[in-house]
Amino acid sequence: MVVLSKPAIELEQLSIANNCSTLFPGVPLVDLSIPDSKTQLVKACEEFGFFKVINHGVPFEYMRDLESEALKFFSLPLPDKQRAGPPNPFGYGNKKIGQSGDVGWLEYLLLNSNTEADFNKFSPFSVCVLKNYVSAVKKMAFEILEMLADGLKIQPRNVFSKLVMDEQSDSVFRVNHYPPCPDLGESNGSRNLIGFGEHTDPQVISVLRSNNTSGFQICLKDGNWISIPPDHSSFFINVGDSLQVMTNGRFKSVRHRVVANSSKSRLSMIYFGGPPLSEKIAPLPSLIKGEDSLYKEFTWFEYKKSAYKSRLADNRLGLFEKI
Ligand code: GA4
């Protein structure tokens, strides 16, 4: 049985109104093996900033093996897990998210996505299992980014993918474990516990794979939250803030969150593809086409520094918008 550290946090602090309990059937689904998938990818990034991919080429065994190692790690006694923490910036974390006071009903591991790197002394996973999974997911992310450039009819086709393909890419790999949440009591039937609070991802692209436990939600353009049906053999892709900027707002960095499940534990693994620290991020001239550039140019270092000081739910791009 998995125990999170004694709640120094009041559960009420994590409770939100349960206003979206039904699973949304309209999530854009892109089959990466069909010729027209680039058009569908562009449409999904414009309308939702989010989509699900199938026929992605990542072997199921890679997901299964890493998931089973992760579950083994999270089932260890708390002091053993804490030896791999705190996450500054890599390692094991429990309930506390970031440095600005955010909390959630989860425990997690943050790792450098360069699986060979020394920083991964915190990784409890076998190098081979981690490497198989992360390399295959990165490859898929590069392909999606190239298809997006094609779909937007911009040159060169590696304009986005080169950022996350670079040896110096500042990418992160995260494994989140959400234990079943405690009973909130009958009077709280209309409340949910927040697993990971609402936010957008600062990077270019995020690739998420979870077990079959629901909890992931995205915010639609009209402000309504929808629950995404889980699917352990597919991947879910998020547009990040940096891609929103490079497309001058044409692609939306999707606001998302996770609510804890009352009976089942959820395990998710997310690759966040980020640019090298020195990379300049700005709207691509070919995508501005006579319109105004909506954002000031910044380096990924500047953005990351500002993002890591913010609260999870903040609108981090606000500081970089042109008035
Ligand atoms: C959100 C996306 C990734 O999980 C992450 C998160 C990071 C963290 O957990 O330390 C942040 C969050 C994320 C954005 C704002 C800051 C930083 C927590 C937080 C309050 C690893 C990332 O890169 O940004």
Side-chain angles (χ1 to χ4, degrees):
M1 155 118 165
V2 173
V3 188
L4 287 183
S5 61
K6 194 176 171 307
I9 301 160
E10 293 300 326
L11 291 183
E12 284 70 42
Q13 212 185 320
L14 295 177
S15 126
I16 52 160
N18 176 9
N19 50 9
C20 70
S21 46
T22 47
L23 296 174
F24 180 71
V27 178
L29 170 67
V30 183
D31 178 344
L32 291 183
S33 67
I34 63 162
D36 195 37
S37 45
K38 58 177 190 280
T39 314
Q40 294 175 10
L41 290 174
V42 168
K43 195 162 172 257
C45 288
E46 289 173 342
E47 285 177 13
F48 290 84
F50 179 79
F51 53 91
K52 164 170 156 174
V53 292
I54 55 169
N55 288 322
H56 42 68
V58 180
F60 188 73
E61 309 86 79
Y62 290 3
M63 313 177 190
R64 186 201 55 200
D65 292 353
L66 190 55
E67 175 176 340
S68 107
E69 289 211 7
L71 288 175
K72 214 157 52 184
F73 172 77
F74 288 120
S75 68
L76 292 173
L78 186 62
D80 292 353
K81 294 186 277 193
Q82 280 171 330
R83 273 196 279 279
N88 55 0
F90 302 117
Y92 171 78
N94 188 315
K95 294 206 192 78
K96 292 187 182 147
I97 302 171
Q99 308 297 322
S100 309
D102 289 287
V103 286
W105 189 254
L106 86 162
E107 56 179 342
Y108 59 88
L109 274 166
L110 271 174
L111 303 174
N112 187 289
S113 79
N114 175 358
T115 51
E116 312 290 329
D118 280 355
F119 330 99
N120 278 345
K121 55 181 181 239
F122 303 110
S123 167
F125 307 132
S126 98
V127 175
C128 170
V129 168
L130 182 62
K131 194 175 168 190
N132 281 345
Y133 180 85
V134 174
S135 313
V137 163
K138 269 186 191 172
K139 185 169 171 276
M140 175 184 60
F142 303 156
E143 281 163 12
I144 290 174
L145 289 170
E146 301 208 332
M147 286 160 103
L148 284 172
D150 277 349
L152 287 168
K153 301 189 176 59
I154 51 173
Q155 298 277 356
R157 75 189 296 262
N158 71 348
V159 63
F160 303 130
S161 66
K162 69 170 192 229
L163 302 179
V164 298
M165 240 186 253
D166 195 290
E167 262 186 24
Q168 303 296 318
S169 287
D170 183 35
S171 298
V172 182
F173 184 59
R174 170 168 216 141
V175 184
N176 289 332
H177 176 233
Y178 303 89
C181 70
D183 191 358
L184 287 177
E186 265 172 49
S187 59
N188 281 320
S190 60
R191 308 291 293 169
N192 268 148
L193 212 58
I194 265 297
F196 206 114
E198 64 173 275
H199 66 285
T200 61
D201 295 339
Q203 292 83 356
V204 177
I205 190 169
S206 315
V207 181
L208 176 141
R209 186 268 174 189
S210 77
N211 65 359
N212 270 339
T213 303
S214 63
F216 191 84
Q217 302 184 340
I218 64 166
C219 187
L220 299 178
K221 280 181 184 165
D222 62 9
N224 282 320
W225 285 91
I226 54 166
S227 284
I228 306 300
D231 176 351
H232 71 165
S233 58
S234 301
F235 287 94
F236 292 93
I237 315 290
N238 288 359
V239 168
D241 297 346
S242 302
L243 190 53
Q244 173 169 325
V245 170
M246 292 179 81
T247 58
N248 202 30
R250 187 159 157 189
F251 289 177
K252 297 284 169 261
S253 175
V254 65
R255 194 159 267 270
H256 55 285
R257 68 184 181 192
V258 175
V259 295
N261 190 291
S262 60
S263 56
K264 288 160 72 193
S265 75
R266 176 178 160 91
L267 189 101
S268 61
M269 331 201 264
I270 312 118
Y271 162 75
F272 301 95
L277 289 171
S278 58
E279 187 72 36
K280 291 196 172 110
I281 309 292
L284 295 173
S286 50
L287 291 178
I288 299 180
K289 281 193 241 134
E291 292 165 26
D292 291 333
S293 161
L294 298 178
Y295 304 96
K296 301 174 200 156
E297 182 180 280
F298 51 83
T299 63
W300 169 242
F301 175 80
E302 287 163 339
Y303 191 59
K304 188 176 171 184
K305 199 163 134 212
S306 137
Y308 274 63
K309 279 194 216 139
S310 66
R311 293 297 301 254
L312 203 48
D314 287 351
N315 169 20
R316 282 173 276 283
L317 277 179
L319 287 172
F320 298 85
E321 281 164 8
K322 282 194 177 167
I323 313 151

